[in-house]
Amino acid sequence: MTITLDSLEPALSVRQVLTLERVLAGEPEVVAGASHLDRPVRWVHVAEAADVGVMLTGGEMVLTTGVLLAGDEDKQAEYVRSLHRAEAAAVVLGLGRAFPAAPDVMRRAAERCGLPMVVLHRPFPFAELTEEVQSRLVRRKFAAVSLSEAVRTELTALITAGAPLQRLLDEVARHSGCPVVVTNLAHRVLGTAGERPAVDDVLRDWERIARQAGGTEGDGWIRAELGGRGERWGRIVLCGYRGDTATGRLLADRAAEALVLHRMLGGGAACSWEEQSAQSLLTDLVSGVVPARQLLPRARAAGLPVNRRTFVPLVVRDGDPARLERLLRLLGLPGLVAELADGATAVLLSLPRDQDADALAAHFATRLRTGTGPAHTVVAAAEPRAAWDDVPTGLREAQHVADAVADSSTVLQLPPVVRLKDVHLRGLIRLLRDDPHVQSFAERELDGLLRETDEDLLSVLRTYLATGRNKSRTAQLHHVSRPALYRRLESIQLRLGVDLDDFEQAASVHIALLAHDAQQQ
């Protein structure tokens, strides 16, 4: 992406221009369009002709004395309408010989168009206002371009020096002065930077916040897409940026360029950033340097279920971390994997409380030794933890057990290998849930429901598809009447824009829902 001087938005709004000392000397009064004073001012232009719009390109604050408009109400109204058509930022009328007071025709027309109209009660040399505003705009645009080049130079230097992802994000956070978050297309957090309390506040309810604010630039939320060769695979988000929007966009775009370059030069895939995120989290948990309570928002944003769960801390000796991650996905066990030191790998399982944690941990360990895994692989486990605060102790306990039995010659019997066909479509979706294509497909198919996070309709849809579109069974399971179920199904179809009676469309939605559910675990 290329950012030029012309593509940068101005850093002054109509409201800001009206607070300039030189403007205040003219005693400005807003007589129309007061709710649109945050419009950006791209330039200042003096114009008297009734068809002034043909001379504008949008974003101008137009100054006039109204000399050519006095006595002709049609010209006055057309003057305002012409400015509106040209998307001018505002019109400023200097009161005096032509108009001793704001003309009602212009004021009413401006109010109807939503065009800010300002009158100056004291004589004011327009040249001073033009000089003041335009010099400020030029200085700010120059500063923005200088910042752009500085950020690009610094990030490029870090990349060529082999800096990790975290170092780049820290630099972006330093320039932006706000939390920075990198996510995949399913909103799973891959990396963060910024002051830790502010980052934790953002991550505390990340899924909801990201869906509501991440797609817009309101309240300082500015994002840039990550991808290349026509394929998107993630986003970088500036959360609560306090500067002007143009500079924020510039920073986000420069950061996106650097992250794409970092990925390309590293030869890795987006999932490697997920591995780095998990490794950072588990390393902090094991070390105990950061209290577990402070790490909870990071765990939740990384995609680990943390509410009403049983945590099973494991440490695997002589186990390939990549193979452990593939195994977790195949078994559908939510968890994080991170390579520690001395050939040890930490695995943290997060299981529903109604499941047998010991049996699942044993099954995981047995499967790990199946196939091409080393016969001397050791899986050490601590007692399941019901409280998140106890997880660091559990991980250290599992690490101690792994160290104690690392030289053991005991060899466990290997079970038969389980094929992908045995777990059917859900297993396939779990394996593919981190694939950007699958994430994008799920978001697109379910957007009408996910945008409003309507869990009731999602639950009805999930049951309806799981029962083979059996309306009677679905109504029974949700304890609603058939007419009530029909209304909900109609609402679902309307929001998604699909016909669930059509097999192909229903199958498409079903697969998307399975992918969405897999990404939440």
mmCIF file of all heavy atoms in Angstrom, residues 457-479:
data_model
loop_
_atom_site.group_PDB
_atom_site.id
_atom_site.type_symbol
_atom_site.label_atom_id
_atom_site.label_comp_id
_atom_site.label_asym_id
_atom_site.label_seq_id
_atom_site.Cartn_x
_atom_site.Cartn_y
_atom_site.Cartn_z
ATOM 1 N N LEU A 457 -30.797 -17.418 18.822
ATOM 2 C CA LEU A 457 -30.990 -17.851 17.440
ATOM 3 C C LEU A 457 -29.870 -18.790 17.001
ATOM 4 O O LEU A 457 -30.108 -19.753 16.257
ATOM 5 C CB LEU A 457 -31.057 -16.643 16.512
ATOM 6 C CG LEU A 457 -32.296 -15.747 16.643
ATOM 7 C CD1 LEU A 457 -32.259 -14.621 15.630
ATOM 8 C CD2 LEU A 457 -33.577 -16.565 16.484
ATOM 9 N N LEU A 458 -28.641 -18.552 17.464
ATOM 10 C CA LEU A 458 -27.542 -19.463 17.141
ATOM 11 C C LEU A 458 -27.818 -20.852 17.706
ATOM 12 O O LEU A 458 -27.556 -21.866 17.067
ATOM 13 C CB LEU A 458 -26.220 -18.920 17.700
ATOM 14 C CG LEU A 458 -25.453 -17.913 16.843
ATOM 15 C CD1 LEU A 458 -24.261 -17.379 17.607
ATOM 16 C CD2 LEU A 458 -25.007 -18.537 15.534
ATOM 17 N N SER A 459 -28.354 -20.886 18.934
ATOM 18 C CA SER A 459 -28.651 -22.163 19.561
ATOM 19 C C SER A 459 -29.749 -22.913 18.803
ATOM 20 O O SER A 459 -29.665 -24.133 18.596
ATOM 21 C CB SER A 459 -29.074 -21.944 21.023
ATOM 22 O OG SER A 459 -29.395 -23.165 21.644
ATOM 23 N N VAL A 460 -30.784 -22.182 18.387
ATOM 24 C CA VAL A 460 -31.860 -22.805 17.615
ATOM 25 C C VAL A 460 -31.323 -23.335 16.290
ATOM 26 O O VAL A 460 -31.628 -24.472 15.881
ATOM 27 C CB VAL A 460 -33.005 -21.797 17.367
ATOM 28 C CG1 VAL A 460 -33.997 -22.348 16.351
ATOM 29 C CG2 VAL A 460 -33.711 -21.474 18.672
ATOM 30 N N LEU A 461 -30.504 -22.538 15.622
ATOM 31 C CA LEU A 461 -29.919 -22.965 14.351
ATOM 32 C C LEU A 461 -29.052 -24.201 14.547
ATOM 33 O O LEU A 461 -29.109 -25.149 13.759
ATOM 34 C CB LEU A 461 -29.087 -21.826 13.759
ATOM 35 C CG LEU A 461 -28.327 -22.138 12.464
ATOM 36 C CD1 LEU A 461 -29.298 -22.500 11.347
ATOM 37 C CD2 LEU A 461 -27.461 -20.948 12.056
ATOM 38 N N ARG A 462 -28.266 -24.207 15.607
ATOM 39 C CA ARG A 462 -27.384 -25.341 15.881
ATOM 40 C C ARG A 462 -28.196 -26.626 16.092
ATOM 41 O O ARG A 462 -27.878 -27.683 15.538
ATOM 42 C CB ARG A 462 -26.543 -25.012 17.110
ATOM 43 C CG ARG A 462 -25.410 -25.986 17.394
ATOM 44 C CD ARG A 462 -24.593 -25.538 18.590
ATOM 45 N NE ARG A 462 -23.814 -24.342 18.317
ATOM 46 C CZ ARG A 462 -24.044 -23.150 18.847
ATOM 47 N NH1 ARG A 462 -25.070 -22.992 19.691
ATOM 48 N NH2 ARG A 462 -23.287 -22.115 18.551
ATOM 49 N N THR A 463 -29.260 -26.526 16.862
ATOM 50 C CA THR A 463 -30.103 -27.700 17.128
ATOM 51 C C THR A 463 -30.833 -28.153 15.877
ATOM 52 O O THR A 463 -30.910 -29.354 15.574
ATOM 53 C CB THR A 463 -31.119 -27.376 18.231
ATOM 54 O OG1 THR A 463 -30.422 -26.938 19.403
ATOM 55 C CG2 THR A 463 -31.962 -28.591 18.569
ATOM 56 N N TYR A 464 -31.351 -27.196 15.121
ATOM 57 C CA TYR A 464 -32.123 -27.512 13.920
ATOM 58 C C TYR A 464 -31.260 -28.271 12.908
ATOM 59 O O TYR A 464 -31.693 -29.276 12.323
ATOM 60 C CB TYR A 464 -32.645 -26.209 13.312
ATOM 61 C CG TYR A 464 -33.435 -26.379 12.048
ATOM 62 C CD1 TYR A 464 -34.658 -27.057 12.045
ATOM 63 C CD2 TYR A 464 -32.978 -25.855 10.842
ATOM 64 C CE1 TYR A 464 -35.389 -27.200 10.879
ATOM 65 C CE2 TYR A 464 -33.703 -25.997 9.671
ATOM 66 C CZ TYR A 464 -34.913 -26.673 9.695
ATOM 67 O OH TYR A 464 -35.633 -26.806 8.550
ATOM 68 N N LEU A 465 -30.031 -27.836 12.727
ATOM 69 C CA LEU A 465 -29.142 -28.505 11.776
ATOM 70 C C LEU A 465 -28.649 -29.836 12.323
ATOM 71 O O LEU A 465 -28.505 -30.812 11.588
ATOM 72 C CB LEU A 465 -27.960 -27.597 11.437
ATOM 73 C CG LEU A 465 -28.318 -26.291 10.700
ATOM 74 C CD1 LEU A 465 -27.095 -25.400 10.552
ATOM 75 C CD2 LEU A 465 -28.935 -26.591 9.346
ATOM 76 N N ALA A 466 -28.380 -29.886 13.635
ATOM 77 C CA ALA A 466 -27.874 -31.122 14.239
ATOM 78 C C ALA A 466 -28.919 -32.234 14.227
ATOM 79 O O ALA A 466 -28.577 -33.419 14.210
ATOM 80 C CB ALA A 466 -27.409 -30.863 15.671
ATOM 81 N N THR A 467 -30.199 -31.861 14.224
ATOM 82 C CA THR A 467 -31.274 -32.859 14.207
ATOM 83 C C THR A 467 -31.718 -33.193 12.787
ATOM 84 O O THR A 467 -32.777 -33.805 12.597
ATOM 85 C CB THR A 467 -32.485 -32.355 15.007
ATOM 86 O OG1 THR A 467 -32.941 -31.122 14.461
ATOM 87 C CG2 THR A 467 -32.126 -32.167 16.477
ATOM 88 N N GLY A 468 -30.925 -32.782 11.798
ATOM 89 C CA GLY A 468 -31.302 -33.068 10.416
ATOM 90 C C GLY A 468 -32.485 -32.255 9.959
ATOM 91 O O GLY A 468 -33.322 -32.733 9.187
ATOM 92 N N ARG A 469 -32.582 -31.006 10.463
ATOM 93 C CA ARG A 469 -33.672 -30.074 10.133
ATOM 94 C C ARG A 469 -35.032 -30.640 10.535
ATOM 95 O O ARG A 469 -36.033 -30.484 9.824
ATOM 96 C CB ARG A 469 -33.641 -29.726 8.643
ATOM 97 C CG ARG A 469 -32.381 -28.975 8.230
ATOM 98 C CD ARG A 469 -32.383 -28.610 6.760
ATOM 99 N NE ARG A 469 -32.284 -29.800 5.918
ATOM 100 C CZ ARG A 469 -32.448 -29.789 4.605
ATOM 101 N NH1 ARG A 469 -32.738 -28.664 3.981
ATOM 102 N NH2 ARG A 469 -32.330 -30.899 3.901
ATOM 103 N N ASN A 470 -35.059 -31.280 11.688
ATOM 104 C CA ASN A 470 -36.293 -31.838 12.235
ATOM 105 C C ASN A 470 -36.970 -30.765 13.089
ATOM 106 O O ASN A 470 -36.539 -30.478 14.209
ATOM 107 C CB ASN A 470 -35.972 -33.077 13.083
ATOM 108 C CG ASN A 470 -37.222 -33.803 13.535
ATOM 109 O OD1 ASN A 470 -38.208 -33.177 13.931
ATOM 110 N ND2 ASN A 470 -37.171 -35.127 13.499
ATOM 111 N N LYS A 471 -38.019 -30.169 12.573
ATOM 112 C CA LYS A 471 -38.668 -29.061 13.265
ATOM 113 C C LYS A 471 -39.329 -29.518 14.570
ATOM 114 O O LYS A 471 -39.259 -28.817 15.588
ATOM 115 C CB LYS A 471 -39.696 -28.396 12.346
ATOM 116 C CG LYS A 471 -39.082 -27.698 11.134
ATOM 117 C CD LYS A 471 -40.155 -27.002 10.312
ATOM 118 C CE LYS A 471 -39.563 -26.198 9.157
ATOM 119 N NZ LYS A 471 -38.887 -27.058 8.170
ATOM 120 N N SER A 472 -39.964 -30.666 14.546
ATOM 121 C CA SER A 472 -40.640 -31.148 15.759
ATOM 122 C C SER A 472 -39.619 -31.378 16.884
ATOM 123 O O SER A 472 -39.832 -30.976 18.038
ATOM 124 C CB SER A 472 -41.388 -32.446 15.463
ATOM 125 O OG SER A 472 -42.404 -32.234 14.506
ATOM 126 N N ARG A 473 -38.517 -32.042 16.554
ATOM 127 C CA ARG A 473 -37.499 -32.326 17.560
ATOM 128 C C ARG A 473 -36.850 -31.037 18.073
ATOM 129 O O ARG A 473 -36.598 -30.899 19.272
ATOM 130 C CB ARG A 473 -36.434 -33.247 16.945
ATOM 131 C CG ARG A 473 -35.338 -33.663 17.916
ATOM 132 C CD ARG A 473 -35.882 -34.393 19.104
ATOM 133 N NE ARG A 473 -34.826 -34.865 19.984
ATOM 134 C CZ ARG A 473 -34.984 -35.152 21.264
ATOM 135 N NH1 ARG A 473 -36.199 -35.011 21.819
ATOM 136 N NH2 ARG A 473 -33.986 -35.577 21.990
ATOM 137 N N THR A 474 -36.610 -30.093 17.159
ATOM 138 C CA THR A 474 -36.000 -28.824 17.565
ATOM 139 C C THR A 474 -36.917 -28.058 18.504
ATOM 140 O O THR A 474 -36.474 -27.524 19.532
ATOM 141 C CB THR A 474 -35.685 -27.958 16.331
ATOM 142 O OG1 THR A 474 -34.803 -28.679 15.473
ATOM 143 C CG2 THR A 474 -35.028 -26.651 16.732
ATOM 144 N N ALA A 475 -38.210 -27.982 18.163
ATOM 145 C CA ALA A 475 -39.164 -27.294 19.036
ATOM 146 C C ALA A 475 -39.226 -27.958 20.403
ATOM 147 O O ALA A 475 -39.291 -27.292 21.454
ATOM 148 C CB ALA A 475 -40.541 -27.270 18.378
ATOM 149 N N GLN A 476 -39.186 -29.298 20.425
ATOM 150 C CA GLN A 476 -39.233 -30.038 21.689
ATOM 151 C C GLN A 476 -38.001 -29.743 22.540
ATOM 152 O O GLN A 476 -38.115 -29.497 23.756
ATOM 153 C CB GLN A 476 -39.328 -31.531 21.395
ATOM 154 C CG GLN A 476 -39.385 -32.398 22.643
ATOM 155 C CD GLN A 476 -39.415 -33.888 22.301
ATOM 156 O OE1 GLN A 476 -39.238 -34.273 21.154
ATOM 157 N NE2 GLN A 476 -39.618 -34.718 23.299
ATOM 158 N N LEU A 477 -36.822 -29.753 21.934
ATOM 159 C CA LEU A 477 -35.589 -29.536 22.690
ATOM 160 C C LEU A 477 -35.493 -28.109 23.230
ATOM 161 O O LEU A 477 -34.870 -27.878 24.276
ATOM 162 C CB LEU A 477 -34.375 -29.842 21.810
ATOM 163 C CG LEU A 477 -34.166 -31.319 21.459
ATOM 164 C CD1 LEU A 477 -33.022 -31.476 20.456
ATOM 165 C CD2 LEU A 477 -33.875 -32.130 22.729
ATOM 166 N N HIS A 478 -36.102 -27.157 22.522
ATOM 167 C CA HIS A 478 -36.036 -25.758 22.982
ATOM 168 C C HIS A 478 -37.291 -25.341 23.748
ATOM 169 O O HIS A 478 -37.412 -24.169 24.121
ATOM 170 C CB HIS A 478 -35.806 -24.830 21.781
ATOM 171 C CG HIS A 478 -34.399 -24.851 21.283
ATOM 172 N ND1 HIS A 478 -33.422 -24.005 21.749
ATOM 173 C CD2 HIS A 478 -33.789 -25.653 20.375
ATOM 174 C CE1 HIS A 478 -32.273 -24.266 21.144
ATOM 175 N NE2 HIS A 478 -32.465 -25.266 20.303
ATOM 176 N N HIS A 479 -38.191 -26.295 23.954
ATOM 177 C CA HIS A 479 -39.388 -26.050 24.755
ATOM 178 C C HIS A 479 -40.209 -24.872 24.210
ATOM 179 O O HIS A 479 -40.620 -23.967 24.945
ATOM 180 C CB HIS A 479 -39.015 -25.784 26.215
ATOM 181 C CG HIS A 479 -38.155 -26.856 26.812
ATOM 182 N ND1 HIS A 479 -38.620 -28.130 27.110
ATOM 183 C CD2 HIS A 479 -36.836 -26.852 27.149
ATOM 184 C CE1 HIS A 479 -37.630 -28.858 27.613
ATOM 185 N NE2 HIS A 479 -36.536 -28.113 27.657
#
